[in-house]
Amino acid sequence: MQNQKEELDIKELYGKNCILPKQEFISKYNINGLTTSEAQDSIHKLGLNQISQAKPKKWYHYFFQSFFSTFNRILLGIILVLFYTDVFLPEKPSYANIIVILVLVTASTFLEFFEEYRSNKAAEKLKELVATTCLVIRDGKEIKIPIKEITLGDIVLLSAGSMIPADLRIIESKDLYVGQSTLTGESDAVKKVDTSELKLEEINSITDLDTICFMGTNVISGSAKAIVIKIADNTYLGKIAHTLNSGKPQTAFQKGVQNVSKLLIKFMLVMIPIVFILTAWKHETLTAFTFAVAIAIGITPLLLPVILSSSLSKGAVRMSKKKTIVKSLDSIQSFGAMNILCTDKTGTLTEDKIVLEKYLDINGNEDMRVLKHAFLNSYFQTGLKGNIDEAVINRANEQNLNEVISKYKKIDEIPFDFSRRRLSVIVSDENNKKQMITKGAVEEILNICSSVDENGSVSPITKEIKEHIKKISTSLNKEGLRVVAVCQKNDINNVETFDVSTEKNMILIGFIGFLDPPKESAKVAIHRLNDSGIRVIVLTGDNSEVTRCICEKVDINSKRIVLGSDIDKLSDQAVIRILKRTNIFAKLSPIQKARIIRLLKEDGNIVGYMGDGINDSPSLTNSDVGISVDTAVDISKESADIILLEKDLNVLLDGVRER
């Protein structure tokens, strides 16, 4: 990776676009974006925004992959030997043995080829149904289009959660932080700005480019407007794509097949000279050699490739009838041999349909004013509207609060980021009175509040009040509710510029509690998996109390829960010991999830991982069998070996039993 970076001339590729003053850069482009006809002309000239290695594979790729499988290579080697012994050396050539082996190779190849080609085509159709989109300005209007239809000169609008669809130059930004660990390995988000103070000679690597966003990275927080400067193979990701395509590690089944193949080859190489030496003194040299080769061929299981391919293909067909698509035939054995299934909580154990259940004041009493403030925050924020914001808006509409919107207008916002874990919007009412409304994690909100609002009376926050608030939050967590705190600030009429430093001395007004109920089928599925010898381990980024509540309802042992922060303090051996007796791990980062998968495999387990998010890709790749669903993001489906047509553990178990 590093070597490839050094081969690219970053200054030549991006230097001028990076350091060019914003106004000069904007003057080159239409700030209102392309028209539809301009975009179509550009796509016709430059092609779609797809990296070569990410494009769907052609049929011949699957054919040659099947043709040159491990056992087929041995049989092809035997054919070469037979051409010498049965055709070249004898006076009367014999093609019988060669024809038999060619038939076996052909049968094995076509069985594997047809099944893998069919399964991968089905997976590609699923990806097309859930195409990744981005927000652009076309014909002067904001529209969503598939990422592959992005072209040079497009104006792209970014917000928290957005995928960067191409290489972009920022022209407007608001607290924009981008995660680019895919390209640089940096775990921390990187701030991007619209104006750079860099000089050309100061640019040494892509980490120095603070006005450029790169294809394949994602927005952690903030918002921005940017212009597309490079697409497809011309992007930085496109130029280093082959260095990122390291592939999935070999499974236990693949290693087993490879080991058997190596053993056969070694045995043949040893047997041929031994048999030849033992017979050469008694027979002619040609006769002795031919006999030695015949013995070597005789010990080779010629039918094994056909048996493997036909068995795996038959299993894939049966699994497809159980709503399970197999992308890689080799994964079927690992799927059936799996003894540990690692899965997230949301959407697998739960319905993935968050509902706002409670809106409470600081004493735990229902308060419509708390819902109103949360509604204003969720409605006016322009970042990625997640399940929480949608649940707030839906509940407010049920309570007929939507008419409140007409009484306020948005002034500014301070976008969400993962370090602050909160989001603020600034609005003004009909009297032009400004108000900041902030919602976020309870701990983070408490840190910025100096007062509490109790029945309309504002008083200083005390240590006792904080402890009482934390108890209410914990009790709601134990009921399975995810808790978000809401606060406000009123004395900001004279403030013109709003940033993170404005989020202080705020007034806490209450909480909102969200419920993502467990699936009715999850409890039965867990028991069925356990009865089938598959242990379920929950790996989630959610907090421990909510996770414990859900896991107890589906009968997963929740006596012991280990947090991601605890794992970081332990050696690999210590974590392996914990894994033997712990089924729930909470508040995990993607890196911590991937580490757990790796350690489970090193301890001799066949590990499956079920995930559907961008951050699940490392774990899907590192597991013995990666399992995703048809509604997952593209990168998850690309990394997975098996795709379920329903996000249900029962569907997975049916697939395991049909393998």
Side-chain angles (χ1 to χ4, degrees), residues 340-343 535-539 579 582-585 600:
I340 290 181
L341 172 66
C342 296
T343 179
R535 175 185 167 204
V536 178
I537 296 180
V538 177
L539 307 180
L579 283 166
T582 306
N583 293 325
I584 304 174
F585 295 82
L600 285 168

Side-chain angles (χ1 to χ4, degrees), residues 84-129:
Y84 181 72
T85 60
D86 290 11
V87 177
F88 181 74
L89 292 178
E91 292 182 5
K92 187 177 180 181
S94 173
Y95 294 93
N97 291 329
I98 294 174
I99 292 172
V100 169
I101 296 178
L102 277 175
V103 169
L104 294 175
V105 169
T106 303
S108 170
T109 298
F110 278 99
L111 279 169
E112 185 170 337
F113 163 68
F114 282 125
E115 191 53 48
E116 290 222 4
Y117 182 69
R118 184 191 67 81
S119 296
N120 279 277
K121 278 297 179 184
E124 287 169 15
K125 288 180 181 178
L126 290 176
K127 289 198 293 184
E128 291 174 3
L129 292 175

Side-chain angles (χ1 to χ4, degrees), residues 562-578 585 587-589 591-592 595-596 599:
V562 177
L563 303 181
S565 56
D566 298 327
I567 288 176
D568 285 339
K569 302 171 186 175
L570 301 173
S571 65
D572 284 357
Q573 286 301 316
V575 175
I576 287 175
R577 287 195 294 270
I578 289 175
F585 295 82
K587 301 198 81 170
L588 294 175
S589 68
I591 294 174
Q592 291 163 342
R595 183 188 179 197
I596 288 174
L599 293 176

Side-chain angles (χ1 to χ4, degrees), residues 24 49 87 162 168 233 398 403 472 501 507-508 535 608:
E24 290 184 34
N49 181 35
V87 177
S162 298
L168 313 173
D233 289 341
E398 290 175 6
E403 59 187 31
I472 294 176
S501 64
I507 304 170
L508 179 69
R535 175 185 167 204

Side-chain angles (χ1 to χ4, degrees), residues 1-8 240 243:
M1 178 70 156
Q2 188 61 35
N3 292 338
Q4 180 66 17
K5 287 183 194 177
E6 291 170 358
E7 291 172 10
L8 297 176
I240 65 166
T243 66

Side-chain angles (χ1 to χ4, degrees), residues 439-583:
K439 75 174 188 298
V442 175
E443 301 87 348
E444 303 301 331
I445 295 297
L446 284 176
N447 289 337
I448 61 172
C449 287
S450 59
S451 307
V452 292
D453 187 328
E454 187 173 3
N455 298 323
S457 176
V458 177
S459 58
I461 195 168
T462 63
K463 183 178 179 181
E464 290 75 18
I465 292 176
K466 280 188 177 183
E467 291 300 320
H468 177 65
I469 289 168
K470 288 178 181 178
K471 284 182 180 179
I472 294 176
S473 175
T474 301
S475 66
L476 291 172
N477 286 156
K478 289 180 178 179
E479 295 176 18
L481 294 173
R482 185 184 303 179
V483 181
V484 172
V486 182
C487 62
Q488 65 172 339
K489 188 175 184 179
N490 294 317
D491 53 343
I492 56 172
N493 271 12
N494 297 325
V495 180
E496 296 298 329
T497 304
F498 297 92
D499 54 30
V500 174
S501 64
T502 317
E503 295 177 327
K504 60 182 180 181
N505 298 323
M506 301 193 73
I507 304 170
L508 179 69
I509 59 175
F511 317 93
I512 44 179
F514 303 87
L515 182 64
D516 186 7
K519 286 183 176 177
E520 293 182 5
S521 61
K523 185 175 181 178
V524 174
I526 296 297
H527 284 296
R528 290 179 67 199
L529 285 166
N530 291 336
D531 292 341
S532 299
I534 300 174
R535 175 185 167 204
V536 178
I537 296 180
V538 177
L539 307 180
T540 179
D542 213 340
N543 73 60
S544 58
E545 293 300 335
V546 173
T547 303
R548 187 191 303 276
C549 178
I550 296 297
C551 288
E552 285 178 350
K553 290 179 179 179
V554 297
D555 278 1
I556 294 178
N557 188 346
S558 57
K559 290 182 180 178
R560 180 182 176 87
I561 297 180
V562 177
L563 303 181
S565 56
D566 298 327
I567 288 176
D568 285 339
K569 302 171 186 175
L570 301 173
S571 65
D572 284 357
Q573 286 301 316
V575 175
I576 287 175
R577 287 195 294 270
I578 289 175
L579 283 166
K580 292 181 183 297
R581 60 181 189 277
T582 306
N583 293 325

Side-chain angles (χ1 to χ4, degrees), residues 525 528-529 532 534 648-658:
R528 290 179 67 199
L529 285 166
S532 299
I534 300 174
D648 191 327
L649 290 177
N650 282 300
V651 173
L652 183 147
L653 183 58
D654 289 340
V656 170
R657 289 182 171 177
E658 286 294 338

Side-chain angles (χ1 to χ4, degrees), residues 111 115 118-119 307-326 328-329 331-333 335 642 654-659:
L111 279 169
E115 191 53 48
R118 184 191 67 81
S119 296
I307 294 170
L308 277 176
S309 298
S310 61
S311 298
L312 294 176
S313 297
K314 184 178 179 182
V317 171
R318 291 174 63 186
M319 288 171 66
S320 66
K321 296 176 181 177
K322 296 290 185 178
K323 301 181 180 180
T324 304
I325 292 178
V326 179
S328 169
L329 287 183
S331 66
I332 293 180
Q333 195 278 340
F335 193 48
I642 288 172
D654 289 340
V656 170
R657 289 182 171 177
E658 286 294 338
R659 63 83 173 98

